[in-house]
Amino acid sequence: MVKELVHDPIFLAQKSETANESDLQTAQDLLDTLAAHKETCVGMAANMIGVKKRIIVFDNDGIPEIMFNPEIVKMSGAYQTEESCLSLIGAPKPVKRYKSIKVKYQNSDFQVRLKTFTGFTAQIIQHECDHCNGILI
């Protein structure tokens, strides 16, 4: 179900809690909401729809992907860029990102996975993991 976006910076600045199997519907709601905003958004975290759980969804080269409890375990190739956020009003802000990241996460079956991402997909994941950690750009 498409959910309303949260714009409250105090709520968004709170760290998210560990997700589990009871949060599968939240993941589906995130996918639906991301699809509804596909013209202006490439990734979302659960707190953006009012759920304080460590769940992110993102466009992975045209394929929507879900991660439960993502944790970036390795980063390389630091660079400066600018980003905006659908939940925050204002101009793009400068941010430090990494060209390549390795992420430990759980898939929809809650199996642990370790995968490397590069380029724009890596940037999206970093932005959404920041949301999970209560970091606002």
Side-chain angles (χ1 to χ4, degrees):
M1 171 183 282
V2 176
K3 298 291 187 172
E4 186 174 329
L5 296 176
V6 171
H7 299 285
D8 178 1
I10 294 171
F11 178 81
L12 294 169
Q14 297 176 42
K15 287 189 176 183
S16 296
E17 300 166 4
T18 302
N20 58 47
E21 291 87 348
S22 67
D23 297 309
L24 287 168
Q25 183 59 53
T26 297
Q28 184 58 56
D29 292 344
L30 266 177
L31 285 172
D32 294 345
T33 306
L34 179 63
H37 293 277
K38 68 181 177 183
E39 299 301 319
T40 57
C41 186
V42 291
M44 298 187 115
N47 64 353
M48 293 174 69
I49 60 168
V51 180
K52 217 168 42 168
K53 291 294 185 122
R54 295 187 63 83
I55 308 167
I56 68 171
V57 298
F58 57 96
D59 181 329
N60 188 5
D61 290 325
I63 300 167
E65 190 162 336
I66 303 168
M67 288 183 175
F68 292 88
N69 305 309
E71 177 186 354
I72 299 171
V73 296
K74 187 176 179 182
M75 304 174 285
S76 64
Y79 67 98
Q80 288 294 127
T81 189
E82 289 188 343
E83 293 178 355
S84 297
C85 182
L86 202 56
S87 286
L88 301 173
I89 298 168
K93 295 185 174 63
V95 64
K96 181 179 179 180
R97 294 293 181 218
Y98 295 86
K99 293 177 185 176
S100 178
I101 60 171
K102 186 176 281 189
V103 184
K104 179 181 175 183
Y105 65 98
Q106 292 171 296
N107 64 15
S108 295
D109 295 322
F110 284 84
Q111 299 166 322
V112 176
R113 297 287 184 248
L114 192 62
K115 188 172 178 181
T116 299
F117 295 88
T118 60
F120 189 54
T121 302
Q123 183 177 340
I124 298 167
I125 294 168
Q126 291 169 78
H127 180 102
E128 302 315 329
C129 284
D130 278 357
H131 269 291
C132 291
N133 295 322
I135 298 169
L136 304 178
I137 61 162

Short mmCIF file of all heavy atoms in Angstrom, two decimals, residues 16-85:
data_model
loop_
_atom_site.label_atom_id
_atom_site.label_comp_id
_atom_site.label_asym_id
_atom_site.label_seq_id
_atom_site.Cartn_x
_atom_site.Cartn_y
_atom_site.Cartn_z
N SER A 16 16.84 3.72 13.65
CA SER A 16 15.83 2.68 13.44
C SER A 16 16.20 1.41 14.21
O SER A 16 17.37 1.17 14.53
CB SER A 16 15.72 2.37 11.95
OG SER A 16 15.24 3.50 11.25
N GLU A 17 15.19 0.60 14.46
CA GLU A 17 15.36 -0.65 15.20
C GLU A 17 15.51 -1.82 14.22
O GLU A 17 15.12 -1.72 13.06
CB GLU A 17 14.14 -0.88 16.09
CG GLU A 17 13.93 0.24 17.10
CD GLU A 17 12.55 0.20 17.75
OE1 GLU A 17 11.77 -0.74 17.48
OE2 GLU A 17 12.26 1.13 18.51
N THR A 18 16.03 -2.93 14.71
CA THR A 18 16.22 -4.13 13.91
C THR A 18 14.88 -4.62 13.36
O THR A 18 13.89 -4.69 14.09
CB THR A 18 16.88 -5.23 14.75
OG1 THR A 18 18.13 -4.73 15.24
CG2 THR A 18 17.12 -6.50 13.94
N ALA A 19 14.88 -4.97 12.08
CA ALA A 19 13.67 -5.51 11.44
C ALA A 19 13.66 -7.03 11.57
O ALA A 19 14.71 -7.67 11.71
CB ALA A 19 13.65 -5.11 9.97
N ASN A 20 12.45 -7.60 11.49
CA ASN A 20 12.32 -9.06 11.53
C ASN A 20 11.18 -9.48 10.60
O ASN A 20 10.61 -8.66 9.88
CB ASN A 20 12.11 -9.55 12.97
CG ASN A 20 10.90 -8.92 13.62
OD1 ASN A 20 9.82 -8.86 13.03
ND2 ASN A 20 11.07 -8.43 14.84
N GLU A 21 10.84 -10.77 10.63
CA GLU A 21 9.85 -11.31 9.70
C GLU A 21 8.49 -10.63 9.81
O GLU A 21 7.73 -10.61 8.84
CB GLU A 21 9.69 -12.84 9.91
CG GLU A 21 10.88 -13.65 9.49
CD GLU A 21 11.94 -13.81 10.59
OE1 GLU A 21 11.87 -13.10 11.63
OE2 GLU A 21 12.86 -14.62 10.40
N SER A 22 8.17 -10.05 10.96
CA SER A 22 6.88 -9.38 11.11
C SER A 22 6.84 -8.05 10.35
O SER A 22 5.78 -7.43 10.26
CB SER A 22 6.57 -9.15 12.59
OG SER A 22 7.47 -8.21 13.15
N ASP A 23 7.97 -7.64 9.76
CA ASP A 23 8.05 -6.37 9.04
C ASP A 23 7.97 -6.53 7.52
O ASP A 23 8.23 -5.58 6.78
CB ASP A 23 9.36 -5.66 9.40
CG ASP A 23 9.41 -5.29 10.88
OD1 ASP A 23 8.44 -4.68 11.37
OD2 ASP A 23 10.41 -5.65 11.54
N LEU A 24 7.59 -7.69 7.04
CA LEU A 24 7.49 -7.91 5.59
C LEU A 24 6.48 -6.98 4.94
O LEU A 24 6.70 -6.50 3.82
CB LEU A 24 7.17 -9.37 5.28
CG LEU A 24 8.32 -10.36 5.51
CD1 LEU A 24 7.81 -11.80 5.46
CD2 LEU A 24 9.43 -10.14 4.50
N GLN A 25 5.38 -6.68 5.60
CA GLN A 25 4.38 -5.77 5.03
C GLN A 25 4.94 -4.37 4.89
O GLN A 25 4.66 -3.68 3.91
CB GLN A 25 3.09 -5.76 5.86
CG GLN A 25 2.00 -4.88 5.26
CD GLN A 25 1.59 -5.33 3.86
OE1 GLN A 25 1.27 -6.48 3.63
NE2 GLN A 25 1.62 -4.41 2.88
N THR A 26 5.74 -3.95 5.85
CA THR A 26 6.38 -2.63 5.75
C THR A 26 7.26 -2.57 4.51
O THR A 26 7.26 -1.56 3.79
CB THR A 26 7.20 -2.32 7.01
OG1 THR A 26 6.32 -2.26 8.13
CG2 THR A 26 7.95 -1.00 6.88
N ALA A 27 7.99 -3.65 4.24
CA ALA A 27 8.84 -3.69 3.04
C ALA A 27 8.00 -3.57 1.77
O ALA A 27 8.37 -2.84 0.85
CB ALA A 27 9.66 -4.98 3.02
N GLN A 28 6.86 -4.24 1.75
CA GLN A 28 5.98 -4.14 0.58
C GLN A 28 5.42 -2.73 0.45
O GLN A 28 5.34 -2.19 -0.66
CB GLN A 28 4.84 -5.16 0.67
CG GLN A 28 3.95 -5.17 -0.57
CD GLN A 28 4.74 -5.47 -1.84
OE1 GLN A 28 5.41 -6.50 -1.94
NE2 GLN A 28 4.66 -4.60 -2.84
N ASP A 29 5.04 -2.13 1.57
CA ASP A 29 4.56 -0.75 1.55
C ASP A 29 5.64 0.19 1.02
O ASP A 29 5.35 1.12 0.25
CB ASP A 29 4.12 -0.29 2.95
CG ASP A 29 2.88 -1.02 3.45
OD1 ASP A 29 2.15 -1.65 2.63
OD2 ASP A 29 2.63 -0.96 4.67
N LEU A 30 6.88 -0.04 1.42
CA LEU A 30 7.99 0.77 0.91
C LEU A 30 8.14 0.62 -0.60
O LEU A 30 8.33 1.61 -1.31
CB LEU A 30 9.30 0.34 1.58
CG LEU A 30 9.75 1.08 2.81
CD1 LEU A 30 11.02 0.45 3.36
CD2 LEU A 30 9.95 2.55 2.55
N LEU A 31 8.08 -0.61 -1.09
CA LEU A 31 8.17 -0.84 -2.54
C LEU A 31 7.04 -0.13 -3.27
O LEU A 31 7.26 0.51 -4.31
CB LEU A 31 8.12 -2.34 -2.86
CG LEU A 31 9.38 -3.14 -2.57
CD1 LEU A 31 9.11 -4.64 -2.76
CD2 LEU A 31 10.53 -2.69 -3.45
N ASP A 32 5.82 -0.22 -2.74
CA ASP A 32 4.67 0.44 -3.36
C ASP A 32 4.84 1.97 -3.36
O ASP A 32 4.54 2.63 -4.36
CB ASP A 32 3.38 0.08 -2.62
CG ASP A 32 3.00 -1.39 -2.74
OD1 ASP A 32 3.56 -2.10 -3.62
OD2 ASP A 32 2.17 -1.85 -1.93
N THR A 33 5.34 2.50 -2.26
CA THR A 33 5.53 3.94 -2.14
C THR A 33 6.65 4.41 -3.07
O THR A 33 6.53 5.46 -3.72
CB THR A 33 5.79 4.33 -0.68
OG1 THR A 33 4.72 3.80 0.13
CG2 THR A 33 5.83 5.84 -0.51
N LEU A 34 7.73 3.63 -3.14
CA LEU A 34 8.82 3.96 -4.06
C LEU A 34 8.30 3.98 -5.50
O LEU A 34 8.60 4.90 -6.26
CB LEU A 34 9.97 2.97 -3.91
CG LEU A 34 11.17 3.17 -4.84
CD1 LEU A 34 11.85 4.50 -4.58
CD2 LEU A 34 12.15 2.02 -4.69
N ALA A 35 7.51 2.98 -5.87
CA ALA A 35 6.95 2.93 -7.23
C ALA A 35 6.07 4.14 -7.51
O ALA A 35 6.09 4.68 -8.62
CB ALA A 35 6.17 1.63 -7.42
N ALA A 36 5.33 4.59 -6.50
CA ALA A 36 4.45 5.74 -6.68
C ALA A 36 5.24 7.04 -6.88
O ALA A 36 4.72 8.00 -7.43
CB ALA A 36 3.51 5.88 -5.48
N HIS A 37 6.50 7.05 -6.44
CA HIS A 37 7.34 8.25 -6.53
C HIS A 37 8.52 8.03 -7.48
O HIS A 37 9.52 8.74 -7.39
CB HIS A 37 7.86 8.64 -5.15
CG HIS A 37 6.79 9.09 -4.21
ND1 HIS A 37 6.31 10.38 -4.21
CD2 HIS A 37 6.09 8.43 -3.26
CE1 HIS A 37 5.38 10.49 -3.28
NE2 HIS A 37 5.22 9.32 -2.69
N LYS A 38 8.39 7.08 -8.39
CA LYS A 38 9.53 6.69 -9.24
C LYS A 38 10.09 7.82 -10.09
O LYS A 38 11.24 7.78 -10.49
CB LYS A 38 9.17 5.49 -10.10
CG LYS A 38 8.14 5.77 -11.17
CD LYS A 38 7.83 4.52 -11.96
CE LYS A 38 6.75 4.81 -12.97
NZ LYS A 38 6.38 3.61 -13.69
N GLU A 39 9.29 8.84 -10.36
CA GLU A 39 9.77 9.97 -11.16
C GLU A 39 10.75 10.85 -10.40
O GLU A 39 11.58 11.53 -11.01
CB GLU A 39 8.59 10.82 -11.66
CG GLU A 39 7.61 10.06 -12.54
CD GLU A 39 8.26 9.49 -13.80
OE1 GLU A 39 9.09 10.18 -14.40
OE2 GLU A 39 7.92 8.35 -14.17
N THR A 40 10.68 10.85 -9.07
CA THR A 40 11.51 11.74 -8.27
C THR A 40 12.31 11.04 -7.18
O THR A 40 13.00 11.70 -6.41
CB THR A 40 10.63 12.82 -7.60
OG1 THR A 40 9.64 12.16 -6.81
CG2 THR A 40 9.98 13.73 -8.62
N CYS A 41 12.24 9.71 -7.10
CA CYS A 41 12.86 9.01 -5.98
C CYS A 41 13.44 7.66 -6.45
O CYS A 41 12.79 6.94 -7.21
CB CYS A 41 11.81 8.78 -4.90
SG CYS A 41 12.46 8.07 -3.39
N VAL A 42 14.65 7.33 -5.95
CA VAL A 42 15.29 6.08 -6.34
C VAL A 42 15.53 5.15 -5.14
O VAL A 42 16.01 4.03 -5.31
CB VAL A 42 16.63 6.34 -7.06
CG1 VAL A 42 16.39 6.95 -8.42
CG2 VAL A 42 17.56 7.21 -6.22
N GLY A 43 15.19 5.61 -3.95
CA GLY A 43 15.37 4.78 -2.77
C GLY A 43 14.57 5.33 -1.60
O GLY A 43 14.25 6.52 -1.56
N MET A 44 14.25 4.43 -0.66
CA MET A 44 13.50 4.83 0.53
C MET A 44 13.90 3.96 1.71
O MET A 44 14.27 2.80 1.53
CB MET A 44 11.99 4.68 0.34
CG MET A 44 11.40 5.51 -0.76
SD MET A 44 9.61 5.39 -0.75
CE MET A 44 9.24 7.07 -0.33
N ALA A 45 13.79 4.55 2.89
CA ALA A 45 13.96 3.81 4.14
C ALA A 45 12.63 3.81 4.88
O ALA A 45 11.80 4.71 4.68
CB ALA A 45 15.04 4.47 5.00
N ALA A 46 12.43 2.82 5.73
CA ALA A 46 11.15 2.66 6.41
C ALA A 46 10.74 3.88 7.22
O ALA A 46 9.55 4.20 7.31
CB ALA A 46 11.17 1.42 7.30
N ASN A 47 11.71 4.61 7.79
CA ASN A 47 11.31 5.78 8.58
C ASN A 47 10.67 6.87 7.72
O ASN A 47 9.93 7.70 8.22
CB ASN A 47 12.47 6.33 9.42
CG ASN A 47 13.62 6.87 8.62
OD1 ASN A 47 13.68 6.75 7.40
ND2 ASN A 47 14.58 7.46 9.32
N MET A 48 10.92 6.83 6.42
CA MET A 48 10.30 7.81 5.52
C MET A 48 8.80 7.61 5.41
O MET A 48 8.08 8.51 4.98
CB MET A 48 10.94 7.74 4.14
CG MET A 48 12.40 8.20 4.13
SD MET A 48 13.19 7.96 2.53
CE MET A 48 12.31 9.17 1.53
N ILE A 49 8.31 6.41 5.80
CA ILE A 49 6.86 6.16 5.81
C ILE A 49 6.37 5.95 7.24
O ILE A 49 5.32 5.37 7.47
CB ILE A 49 6.44 5.00 4.88
CG1 ILE A 49 7.10 3.68 5.28
CG2 ILE A 49 6.71 5.36 3.43
CD1 ILE A 49 6.51 2.45 4.59
N GLY A 50 7.16 6.41 8.21
CA GLY A 50 6.72 6.41 9.60
C GLY A 50 6.99 5.15 10.39
O GLY A 50 6.45 4.98 11.48
N VAL A 51 7.84 4.26 9.88
CA VAL A 51 8.15 3.00 10.56
C VAL A 51 9.63 3.01 10.91
O VAL A 51 10.48 3.07 10.03
CB VAL A 51 7.81 1.78 9.69
CG1 VAL A 51 8.15 0.50 10.42
CG2 VAL A 51 6.34 1.80 9.28
N LYS A 52 9.93 2.95 12.19
CA LYS A 52 11.31 3.06 12.66
C LYS A 52 12.00 1.68 12.67
O LYS A 52 12.43 1.19 13.71
CB LYS A 52 11.32 3.69 14.05
CG LYS A 52 12.46 4.62 14.29
CD LYS A 52 12.34 5.46 15.54
CE LYS A 52 11.81 4.71 16.72
NZ LYS A 52 11.96 5.44 17.98
N LYS A 53 12.12 1.09 11.49
CA LYS A 53 12.77 -0.22 11.34
C LYS A 53 13.86 -0.12 10.28
O LYS A 53 13.77 0.70 9.36
CB LYS A 53 11.74 -1.28 10.91
CG LYS A 53 10.73 -1.62 11.97
CD LYS A 53 11.39 -2.31 13.15
CE LYS A 53 10.37 -2.76 14.19
NZ LYS A 53 10.43 -4.18 14.43
N ARG A 54 14.87 -0.97 10.38
CA ARG A 54 16.02 -0.96 9.46
C ARG A 54 15.64 -1.74 8.18
O ARG A 54 16.03 -2.88 8.00
CB ARG A 54 17.25 -1.57 10.12
CG ARG A 54 17.75 -0.74 11.31
CD ARG A 54 19.06 -1.25 11.86
NE ARG A 54 20.11 -1.14 10.87
CZ ARG A 54 20.82 -0.03 10.62
NH1 ARG A 54 20.55 1.08 11.31
NH2 ARG A 54 21.76 -0.02 9.71
N ILE A 55 14.89 -1.06 7.33
CA ILE A 55 14.48 -1.63 6.04
C ILE A 55 14.70 -0.55 4.99
O ILE A 55 14.27 0.60 5.18
CB ILE A 55 12.99 -2.03 6.03
CG1 ILE A 55 12.65 -2.93 7.21
CG2 ILE A 55 12.64 -2.72 4.70
CD1 ILE A 55 11.17 -3.10 7.44
N ILE A 56 15.34 -0.93 3.88
CA ILE A 56 15.49 0.00 2.76
C ILE A 56 15.07 -0.68 1.48
O ILE A 56 15.13 -1.91 1.36
CB ILE A 56 16.93 0.57 2.63
CG1 ILE A 56 17.93 -0.52 2.21
CG2 ILE A 56 17.36 1.25 3.92
CD1 ILE A 56 19.31 0.02 1.83
N VAL A 57 14.60 0.13 0.54
CA VAL A 57 14.31 -0.34 -0.82
C VAL A 57 14.96 0.64 -1.78
O VAL A 57 15.11 1.82 -1.45
CB VAL A 57 12.79 -0.47 -1.10
CG1 VAL A 57 12.15 -1.49 -0.18
CG2 VAL A 57 12.09 0.87 -0.99
N PHE A 58 15.37 0.14 -2.93
CA PHE A 58 16.04 1.02 -3.89
C PHE A 58 15.98 0.43 -5.29
O PHE A 58 15.73 -0.77 -5.47
CB PHE A 58 17.51 1.25 -3.48
CG PHE A 58 18.32 0.00 -3.33
CD1 PHE A 58 19.10 -0.47 -4.37
CD2 PHE A 58 18.29 -0.72 -2.15
CE1 PHE A 58 19.84 -1.63 -4.24
CE2 PHE A 58 19.03 -1.88 -2.01
CZ PHE A 58 19.81 -2.34 -3.07
N ASP A 59 16.17 1.31 -6.24
CA ASP A 59 16.22 0.93 -7.64
C ASP A 59 17.65 0.46 -7.94
O ASP A 59 18.59 1.24 -7.89
CB ASP A 59 15.86 2.14 -8.51
CG ASP A 59 15.87 1.83 -9.99
OD1 ASP A 59 16.65 0.97 -10.43
OD2 ASP A 59 15.10 2.46 -10.72
N ASN A 60 17.79 -0.82 -8.25
CA ASN A 60 19.09 -1.41 -8.57
C ASN A 60 19.14 -1.65 -10.08
O ASN A 60 18.80 -2.73 -10.54
CB ASN A 60 19.31 -2.70 -7.79
CG ASN A 60 20.71 -3.24 -7.95
OD1 ASN A 60 21.57 -2.62 -8.57
ND2 ASN A 60 20.95 -4.41 -7.38
N ASP A 61 19.48 -0.60 -10.83
CA ASP A 61 19.53 -0.68 -12.29
C ASP A 61 18.20 -1.14 -12.88
O ASP A 61 18.15 -2.03 -13.73
CB ASP A 61 20.67 -1.58 -12.74
CG ASP A 61 22.04 -0.95 -12.48
OD1 ASP A 61 22.15 0.29 -12.60
OD2 ASP A 61 22.98 -1.70 -12.15
N GLY A 62 17.10 -0.55 -12.39
CA GLY A 62 15.78 -0.85 -12.93
C GLY A 62 15.03 -1.96 -12.20
O GLY A 62 13.87 -2.20 -12.48
N ILE A 63 15.68 -2.62 -11.25
CA ILE A 63 15.05 -3.70 -10.49
C ILE A 63 14.94 -3.27 -9.04
O ILE A 63 15.95 -2.97 -8.40
CB ILE A 63 15.87 -5.00 -10.60
CG1 ILE A 63 15.98 -5.43 -12.06
CG2 ILE A 63 15.26 -6.10 -9.74
CD1 ILE A 63 16.99 -6.52 -12.30
N PRO A 64 13.71 -3.24 -8.50
CA PRO A 64 13.57 -2.84 -7.09
C PRO A 64 14.15 -3.93 -6.17
O PRO A 64 13.94 -5.12 -6.40
CB PRO A 64 12.06 -2.70 -6.90
CG PRO A 64 11.42 -3.40 -8.04
CD PRO A 64 12.43 -3.49 -9.14
N GLU A 65 14.90 -3.49 -5.18
CA GLU A 65 15.54 -4.43 -4.26
C GLU A 65 15.23 -4.01 -2.83
O GLU A 65 15.13 -2.82 -2.52
CB GLU A 65 17.05 -4.45 -4.49
CG GLU A 65 17.74 -5.56 -3.76
CD GLU A 65 19.12 -5.89 -4.30
OE1 GLU A 65 19.42 -5.61 -5.48
OE2 GLU A 65 19.92 -6.43 -3.52
N ILE A 66 15.10 -5.02 -1.95
CA ILE A 66 14.81 -4.81 -0.53
C ILE A 66 15.99 -5.30 0.29
O ILE A 66 16.55 -6.36 0.00
CB ILE A 66 13.57 -5.61 -0.07
CG1 ILE A 66 12.34 -5.27 -0.89
CG2 ILE A 66 13.30 -5.41 1.41
CD1 ILE A 66 11.18 -6.22 -0.67
N MET A 67 16.33 -4.55 1.33
CA MET A 67 17.33 -5.00 2.30
C MET A 67 16.76 -4.81 3.70
O MET A 67 16.26 -3.75 4.03
CB MET A 67 18.62 -4.19 2.19
CG MET A 67 19.45 -4.46 0.99
SD MET A 67 20.98 -3.47 1.07
CE MET A 67 21.80 -4.09 -0.39
N PHE A 68 16.86 -5.86 4.49
CA PHE A 68 16.52 -5.78 5.90
C PHE A 68 17.83 -5.69 6.68
O PHE A 68 18.78 -6.44 6.39
CB PHE A 68 15.73 -7.02 6.34
CG PHE A 68 14.36 -7.11 5.74
CD1 PHE A 68 14.16 -7.74 4.52
CD2 PHE A 68 13.26 -6.57 6.39
CE1 PHE A 68 12.90 -7.82 3.95
CE2 PHE A 68 12.00 -6.65 5.84
CZ PHE A 68 11.81 -7.28 4.62
N ASN A 69 17.88 -4.78 7.62
CA ASN A 69 19.03 -4.62 8.51
C ASN A 69 20.36 -4.43 7.78
O ASN A 69 21.35 -5.08 8.08
CB ASN A 69 19.10 -5.80 9.49
CG ASN A 69 17.80 -5.97 10.24
OD1 ASN A 69 17.29 -5.01 10.82
ND2 ASN A 69 17.23 -7.16 10.20
N PRO A 70 20.39 -3.53 6.78
CA PRO A 70 21.63 -3.32 6.04
C PRO A 70 22.72 -2.68 6.91
O PRO A 70 22.42 -1.84 7.76
CB PRO A 70 21.21 -2.37 4.91
CG PRO A 70 20.07 -1.60 5.49
CD PRO A 70 19.34 -2.59 6.36
N GLU A 71 23.94 -3.12 6.68
CA GLU A 71 25.09 -2.56 7.39
C GLU A 71 26.24 -2.48 6.39
O GLU A 71 26.62 -3.50 5.79
CB GLU A 71 25.47 -3.48 8.55
CG GLU A 71 26.69 -3.06 9.30
CD GLU A 71 27.10 -4.08 10.35
OE1 GLU A 71 26.38 -5.07 10.59
OE2 GLU A 71 28.18 -3.87 10.93
N ILE A 72 26.76 -1.30 6.19
CA ILE A 72 27.89 -1.12 5.29
C ILE A 72 29.14 -1.54 6.06
O ILE A 72 29.46 -0.96 7.10
CB ILE A 72 28.00 0.33 4.78
CG1 ILE A 72 26.72 0.69 4.00
CG2 ILE A 72 29.24 0.51 3.92
CD1 ILE A 72 26.60 2.15 3.63
N VAL A 73 29.84 -2.57 5.54
CA VAL A 73 30.99 -3.12 6.25
C VAL A 73 32.33 -2.73 5.62
O VAL A 73 33.38 -2.92 6.22
CB VAL A 73 30.88 -4.65 6.40
CG1 VAL A 73 29.68 -5.02 7.26
CG2 VAL A 73 30.80 -5.33 5.04
N LYS A 74 32.28 -2.21 4.39
CA LYS A 74 33.52 -1.78 3.73
C LYS A 74 33.18 -0.68 2.74
O LYS A 74 32.16 -0.76 2.05
CB LYS A 74 34.17 -2.95 3.02
CG LYS A 74 35.54 -2.65 2.44
CD LYS A 74 36.17 -3.90 1.84
CE LYS A 74 37.52 -3.58 1.25
NZ LYS A 74 38.12 -4.75 0.62
N MET A 75 34.04 0.35 2.67
CA MET A 75 33.84 1.47 1.76
C MET A 75 35.18 1.82 1.13
O MET A 75 36.21 1.76 1.80
CB MET A 75 33.32 2.70 2.50
CG MET A 75 32.05 2.47 3.27
SD MET A 75 31.56 3.89 4.29
CE MET A 75 32.71 3.78 5.64
N SER A 76 35.15 2.22 -0.15
CA SER A 76 36.38 2.70 -0.78
C SER A 76 36.03 3.71 -1.87
O SER A 76 34.95 3.70 -2.43
CB SER A 76 37.18 1.54 -1.38
OG SER A 76 36.47 0.91 -2.42
N GLY A 77 37.00 4.60 -2.14
CA GLY A 77 36.83 5.58 -3.19
C GLY A 77 35.97 6.76 -2.78
O GLY A 77 34.98 7.08 -3.44
N ALA A 78 36.35 7.45 -1.72
CA ALA A 78 35.57 8.59 -1.23
C ALA A 78 35.48 9.69 -2.28
O ALA A 78 36.41 9.92 -3.04
CB ALA A 78 36.20 9.14 0.04
N TYR A 79 34.32 10.35 -2.33
CA TYR A 79 34.11 11.49 -3.21
C TYR A 79 33.04 12.40 -2.62
O TYR A 79 32.27 11.97 -1.76
CB TYR A 79 33.74 11.06 -4.63
CG TYR A 79 32.38 10.38 -4.76
CD1 TYR A 79 31.26 11.09 -5.17
CD2 TYR A 79 32.23 9.02 -4.49
CE1 TYR A 79 30.02 10.48 -5.30
CE2 TYR A 79 31.00 8.40 -4.62
CZ TYR A 79 29.90 9.13 -5.02
OH TYR A 79 28.67 8.51 -5.14
N GLN A 80 33.00 13.63 -3.05
CA GLN A 80 31.99 14.60 -2.63
C GLN A 80 30.92 14.70 -3.71
O GLN A 80 31.23 14.68 -4.90
CB GLN A 80 32.61 15.98 -2.41
CG GLN A 80 33.48 16.08 -1.17
CD GLN A 80 32.71 15.93 0.12
OE1 GLN A 80 33.06 15.11 0.95
NE2 GLN A 80 31.64 16.68 0.29
N THR A 81 29.67 14.80 -3.29
CA THR A 81 28.55 14.98 -4.21
C THR A 81 27.48 15.80 -3.51
O THR A 81 27.68 16.25 -2.38
CB THR A 81 28.02 13.61 -4.69
OG1 THR A 81 27.07 13.83 -5.75
CG2 THR A 81 27.37 12.82 -3.58
N GLU A 82 26.35 15.98 -4.17
CA GLU A 82 25.20 16.65 -3.57
C GLU A 82 24.00 15.74 -3.69
O GLU A 82 23.85 15.04 -4.71
CB GLU A 82 24.92 17.97 -4.28
CG GLU A 82 25.93 19.05 -4.00
CD GLU A 82 25.51 20.40 -4.55
OE1 GLU A 82 24.61 20.46 -5.42
OE2 GLU A 82 26.08 21.40 -4.12
N GLU A 83 23.15 15.75 -2.67
CA GLU A 83 21.95 14.93 -2.68
C GLU A 83 20.75 15.71 -2.15
O GLU A 83 20.91 16.63 -1.35
CB GLU A 83 22.14 13.68 -1.80
CG GLU A 83 23.16 12.72 -2.31
CD GLU A 83 23.36 11.53 -1.40
OE1 GLU A 83 22.78 11.47 -0.29
OE2 GLU A 83 24.12 10.64 -1.80
N SER A 84 19.59 15.27 -2.59
CA SER A 84 18.32 15.76 -2.07
C SER A 84 17.63 14.58 -1.41
O SER A 84 18.05 13.44 -1.55
CB SER A 84 17.44 16.28 -3.20
OG SER A 84 18.03 17.36 -3.84
N CYS A 85 16.53 14.88 -0.72
CA CYS A 85 15.76 13.82 -0.08
C CYS A 85 14.28 14.14 -0.21
O CYS A 85 13.87 15.28 0.04
CB CYS A 85 16.16 13.69 1.38
SG CYS A 85 15.30 12.35 2.22
#
